[in-house]
Amino acid sequence: MTHLIVKAKGKKTETKQAIIDAAIVLFQMHGYNGTSVRNIAAEAHVNVALVSYYFGSKKALLEHLMEMFFREYIQEIEEAIPWQNKTSSVCECLVQLAIKLLHYQQKNFYLSLLVHREVTIDSILVRELMTTYLMKEKYLMETIFEEGIRKHEICDIPIDLLVLQYRDMIVTPFLQPLYLRKVHVLEPSQSLFIDRYAEMIRTWIVQIKQGV
Amino acid sequence: MTHLIVKAKGKKTETKQAIIDAAIVLFQMHGYNGTSVRNIAAEAHVNVALVSYYFGSKKALLEHLMEMFFREYIQEIEEAIPWQNKTSSVCECLVQLAIKLLHYQQKNFYLSLLVHREVTIDSILVRELMTTYLMKEKYLMETIFEEGIRKHEICDIPIDLLVLQYRDMIVTPFLQPLYLRKVHVLEPSQSLFIDRYAEMIRTWIVQIKQGV
Amino acid sequence: MTHLIVKAKGKKTETKQAIIDAAIVLFQMHGYNGTSVRNIAAEAHVNVALVSYYFGSKKALLEHLMEMFFREYIQEIEEAIPWQNKTSSVCECLVQLAIKLLHYQQKNFYLSLLVHREVTIDSILVRELMTTYLMKEKYLMETIFEEGIRKHEICDIPIDLLVLQYRDMIVTPFLQPLYLRKVHVLEPSQSLFIDRYAEMIRTWIVQIKQGV
Amino acid sequence: MTHLIVKAKGKKTETKQAIIDAAIVLFQMHGYNGTSVRNIAAEAHVNVALVSYYFGSKKALLEHLMEMFFREYIQEIEEAIPWQNKTSSVCECLVQLAIKLLHYQQKNFYLSLLVHREVTIDSILVRELMTTYLMKEKYLMETIFEEGIRKHEICDIPIDLLVLQYRDMIVTPFLQPLYLRKVHVLEPSQSLFIDRYAEMIRTWIVQIKQGV
DNA sequence: CATGAATGAGCCTTCATTCAT
DNA sequence: GATGAATGAAGGCTCATTCAT
């Protein structure tokens, strides 16, 4: 009896996950509006009606994916704020955070792609995500840079521009992977990529450091 | 007589332009797949069939818009290569080019938005644009940086990463304007924005300059 | 329980059949290109989308109908080849086959009409049907006439022309029923028609018989 | 001045003829409903609006073509009735008429094709053509057969069936040319075809002759 | 005579979703 | 939980025709 329920629940989770995986791949590839619920169901080897059944609607499925992404993304940042790692310098902390976020996005490659692109479109959902997660992201990053400036580790450049540039470098590989791939022959999904790319970020941080 | 001909010709151009304008606004707002030909026709106050009549298909209309954008965009870069402006330094040239491209994108605000986002999706068209225009963009930018390094104006940092970062800063305001607007309270479409943003780019260029 | 399953299955078959019936009537009446999917759906009292749902496309629906017709049509011929009815003469066999085929077409009156007319238009589908079914029809009929000539029952007239003429007589009432109806006041769909028309075929066969 | 008018008129006829020719080819190939006015205009290298201008409507163009065909077709029959050629026998007259009509249709190959197929569809136009031309055709042919029976040249077989069979043989090559071409490897548009095919008709006429 | 822009209706197909089973 | 038939709206596009030039 218990076994049956567990199995049932297992099957439920399995189906739900299959839909999520399929949606991530297809949304990333063809965009939200370019992907049909039937495409997703087919890719997931699942009945069409189950998408509505589990997620309510196609839109709600997208929301679910985006929330998934941002929740963990923000958590990664929170865990990296400097006063939690008192030993290291702020600059080192910025480098480590960048690397963490790059790894997080690489691990969730397709999901990151779709989220970053879809955030580009103005909609109620996106505005909510902006105020909920991206403002928090900005706030947290600002906090780190402020700490760096306070400690005279970092030049006194306007903080918002520092954050903008910093975040940009972290996001770009997963917003324009096709550009990197085709034009720069860089493959953001490859593990070696981050090593090289982090070097660039490190260089940038060195440059904004207070000249000795 | 002449007047009549002009008027007649004007009507065609007028309709075509109305469709283009409407398409730019709507594609930018809801994405290509989120915009219907009927939406465009309605926005342009024009009969639905005229979209097919003038552009062949919705897809061809998008292609037209993208080609429009890139052709002039590349031209702006070509006109800015340093040995055409012998008086100025390479670094100054890079700043001037950045400002030019920011202005070009600001002038074609919605068009830039839609192009940058749509280039994010893998498709035959996008791959063609990549090889036709974006590889040229990269080549031209590389040429400038190479000149800078050759002249010992710029630190010997890997050129591809310099280009990547440089282009990033130029493109971001028009790829993620919503993020800038909502999170950073910056309005990339405002003329004041460029003044401030250019300052950031200038700072970055100062940082990659060969220390004296 | 069984009842429910039967009913469920019945509903699908019911809808599919309604579409088929409606399509036959309308294709026959206004031609394939003169009939819209909406016309068919309306005639079948069924949602428009179900035509695509069950048959994939309007074209595939036509193909389905034609295959339906020809499969059984050829089977009727195969069952009538003389050495399966050893008792009767070849000539009698030809008469019987003609009557069988007339009855088959009369039973599937509208279907026959549409098939024969649509076969008149050059297309990939039609070419396939030609090589798959009509060449087989020709081959089978030739075999019968050959047997008749071998047995000296039938005059030694070129076989291809015999087949052409024979098939013609069988097909015409269902290719030009309007002509028969309006000009000759013959109604090929009436059961009496075949009796009379078969007499004509019988006369023709008597004429090609070896004079005693 | 006169020259100009003549030239203008010549151009008019030229355009009209180009449309007619194009329409015949395309209607024959893809059917009336499968051909668009734009297809015709393109094939004729003529502006779209001119089809409506010269013929009023697409339907009227079809009517024009059909009338064209039937008017001359009937005339061919009228010129062949036996008492106008008193020297020859009725049977020979029937053979000659068949050959004439085959030649007429071969000369107007595509036109014949389209007319015969389009007559297959029930419509007001077709019903009019039936009563105007095809009933006359039947009447004229009956007259000839009656003469043959009266003169004891032809067996006393029901006249309507004789006419049906006779007309059938004449029309079939131009109603089902694809069938003849693909299945029987006969090319009704080739001049040699008629020689062979007429032999078949001759044989048929010999068979319905009063045995001596 | 000829043009081509414009129209509104219609084409076939696909959409996200619902519902009875 | 899962199925697949069913729905009504909307998708992109083509149609025959008109009309100002």
Side-chain angles (χ1 to χ4, degrees), chain D residues 70-78 133 136-137 140:
Chain D
F70 277 121
R71 220 186 313 266
E72 201 177 339
Y73 177 83
I74 289 298
Q75 203 181 322
E76 297 267 347
I77 301 177
E78 281 175 331
Y133 296 108
K136 187 155 197 179
E137 177 204 48
L140 292 171

Side-chain angles (χ1 to χ4, degrees), chain D residues 100-128:
Chain D
K100 266 186 77 175
L101 293 179
L102 290 170
H103 273 124
Y104 173 70
Q105 291 177 101
Q106 196 179 64
K107 204 180 64 193
N108 303 285
F109 189 62
Y110 291 149
L111 179 58
S112 307
L113 251 73
L114 93 85
V115 167
H116 289 316
R117 186 202 301 124
E118 232 49 61
V119 154
T120 266
I121 286 187
D122 196 348
S123 71
I124 294 161
L125 165 61
V126 168
R127 283 167 186 249
E128 280 173 16

Side-chain angles (χ1 to χ4, degrees), chain C residues 117 120 167-168 172 176 179, chain D residues 117 120 167-168 172 176:
Chain C
R117 185 201 303 123
T120 267
R167 192 191 103 104
D168 237 39
T172 290
Q176 311 192 58
Y179 171 74
Chain D
R117 186 202 301 124
T120 266
R167 192 191 103 104
D168 233 38
T172 290
Q176 310 192 60

Side-chain angles (χ1 to χ4, degrees), chain C residues 12 15 38 47 49-50 53-54:
Chain C
K12 171 182 169 167
T15 300
R38 272 180 168 79
N47 187 284
L50 291 176
Y53 182 74
Y54 281 113

Side-chain angles (χ1 to χ4, degrees), chain D:
Chain D
M1 190 65 173
T2 305
H3 174 255
L4 286 177
I5 292 173
V6 169
K7 194 183 165 192
K9 195 173 181 183
K11 203 166 186 191
K12 170 179 169 169
T13 322
E14 210 175 278
T15 301
K16 227 178 148 178
Q17 193 57 45
I19 293 172
I20 288 174
D21 292 343
I24 288 173
V25 168
L26 294 176
F27 284 164
Q28 166 271 327
M29 197 147 49
H30 308 117
Y32 171 75
N33 279 309
T35 304
S36 80
V37 173
R38 274 189 155 74
N39 294 153
I40 297 169
E43 174 85 12
H45 301 292
V46 142
N47 185 281
V48 213
L50 293 178
V51 175
S52 293
Y53 180 75
Y54 281 115
F55 298 93
S57 71
K58 186 186 165 193
K59 210 173 110 187
L61 170 55
L62 176 66
E63 285 177 32
H64 180 86
L65 298 179
M66 293 190 135
E67 293 269 0
M68 254 173 66
F69 174 85
F70 277 121
R71 220 186 313 266
E72 201 177 339
Y73 177 83
I74 289 298
Q75 203 181 322
E76 297 267 347
I77 301 177
E78 281 175 331
E79 287 166 2
I81 49 176
W83 37 92
Q84 296 186 344
N85 275 332
K86 296 204 173 176
T87 52
S88 60
S89 72
V90 171
C91 283
E92 188 51 28
C93 172
L94 282 168
V95 171
Q96 291 312 318
L97 173 58
I99 291 172
K100 266 186 77 175
L101 293 179
L102 290 170
H103 273 124
Y104 173 70
Q105 291 177 101
Q106 196 179 64
K107 204 180 64 193
N108 303 285
F109 189 62
Y110 291 149
L111 179 58
S112 307
L113 251 73
L114 93 85
V115 167
H116 289 316
R117 186 202 301 124
E118 232 49 61
V119 154
T120 266
I121 286 187
D122 196 348
S123 71
I124 294 161
L125 165 61
V126 168
R127 283 167 186 249
E128 280 173 16
L129 293 170
M130 288 276 173
T131 54
T132 311
Y133 296 108
L134 294 181
M135 288 191 71
K136 187 155 197 179
E137 177 204 48
K138 185 201 164 202
Y139 168 76
L140 292 171
M141 286 181 174
E142 273 181 353
T143 310
I144 303 174
F145 279 100
E146 270 164 12
E147 177 80 357
I149 290 171
R150 205 183 49 75
K151 284 187 177 173
H152 300 291
E153 277 189 49
I154 293 171
C155 292
D156 196 3
I157 298 168
I159 284 182
D160 59 346
L161 296 182
L162 284 174
V163 169
L164 199 56
Q165 223 176 332
Y166 179 67
R167 192 191 103 104
D168 233 38
M169 289 187 294
I170 291 168
V171 162
T172 290
F174 305 95
L175 175 53
Q176 310 192 60
L178 195 62
Y179 172 74
L180 268 73
R181 185 151 44 227
K182 294 293 166 197
V183 179
H184 287 270
V185 202
L186 292 170
E187 182 50 66
S189 65
Q190 257 181 358
S191 69
L192 277 171
F193 168 80
I194 293 184
D195 297 341
R196 176 122 201 270
Y197 196 77
E199 206 50 52
M200 185 188 93
I201 294 176
R202 199 183 294 278
T203 304
W204 177 76
I205 287 170
V206 166
Q207 283 161 353
I208 62 166
K209 255 189 186 160
Q210 283 265 359
V212 191

Side-chain angles (χ1 to χ4, degrees), chain B residues 195-206:
Chain B
D195 297 342
R196 175 123 204 270
Y197 196 76
E199 208 47 55
M200 182 187 96
I201 294 176
R202 198 182 295 276
T203 304
W204 177 77
I205 287 171
V206 167

Side-chain angles (χ1 to χ4, degrees), chain C residues 75-93:
Chain C
Q75 203 181 322
E76 296 266 348
I77 302 176
E78 282 175 331
E79 287 166 2
I81 48 177
W83 35 93
Q84 295 186 344
N85 277 331
K86 296 202 173 176
T87 53
S88 60
S89 71
V90 170
C91 283
E92 188 51 28
C93 172

Side-chain angles (χ1 to χ4, degrees), chain C residues 20-193:
Chain C
I20 288 175
D21 293 343
I24 289 174
V25 168
L26 294 175
F27 283 165
Q28 166 271 326
M29 197 147 48
H30 308 117
Y32 171 76
N33 279 311
T35 304
S36 80
V37 173
R38 272 180 168 79
N39 295 153
I40 296 170
E43 174 84 13
H45 301 292
V46 143
N47 187 284
V48 211
L50 291 176
V51 174
S52 293
Y53 182 74
Y54 281 113
F55 298 93
S57 70
K58 186 187 165 192
K59 208 174 112 187
L61 171 54
L62 176 65
E63 286 177 31
H64 180 87
L65 298 179
M66 293 191 138
E67 293 270 358
M68 252 173 67
F69 174 84
F70 277 120
R71 218 183 318 261
E72 202 177 337
Y73 176 85
I74 289 297
Q75 203 181 322
E76 296 266 348
I77 302 176
E78 282 175 331
E79 287 166 2
I81 48 177
W83 35 93
Q84 295 186 344
N85 277 331
K86 296 202 173 176
T87 53
S88 60
S89 71
V90 170
C91 283
E92 188 51 28
C93 172
L94 282 169
V95 172
Q96 291 311 318
L97 173 59
I99 290 172
K100 265 186 77 175
L101 293 179
L102 290 170
H103 273 124
Y104 173 70
Q105 291 177 102
Q106 196 179 64
K107 203 179 66 194
N108 303 285
F109 188 62
Y110 291 150
L111 179 57
S112 306
L113 250 75
L114 94 86
V115 167
H116 290 317
R117 185 201 303 123
E118 229 52 58
V119 154
T120 267
I121 286 188
D122 197 348
S123 71
I124 294 161
L125 165 61
V126 168
R127 282 167 186 251
E128 279 173 16
L129 293 170
M130 289 277 175
T131 54
T132 311
Y133 295 109
L134 293 181
M135 288 192 71
K136 187 155 196 178
E137 178 204 47
K138 184 200 165 203
Y139 168 76
L140 291 171
M141 286 182 174
E142 273 180 353
T143 310
I144 302 174
F145 279 99
E146 270 165 12
E147 178 79 357
I149 290 172
R150 206 185 49 74
K151 285 187 176 172
H152 302 291
E153 277 188 48
I154 293 171
C155 292
D156 196 1
I157 299 167
I159 284 182
D160 59 345
L161 297 182
L162 285 174
V163 169
L164 200 55
Q165 225 175 330
Y166 178 67
R167 192 191 103 104
D168 237 39
M169 290 187 294
I170 291 168
V171 162
T172 290
F174 306 95
L175 176 53
Q176 311 192 58
L178 195 62
Y179 171 74
L180 269 72
R181 186 150 45 228
K182 295 295 164 196
V183 179
H184 288 269
V185 203
L186 291 170
E187 181 51 65
S189 66
Q190 257 182 356
S191 70
L192 277 171
F193 168 79

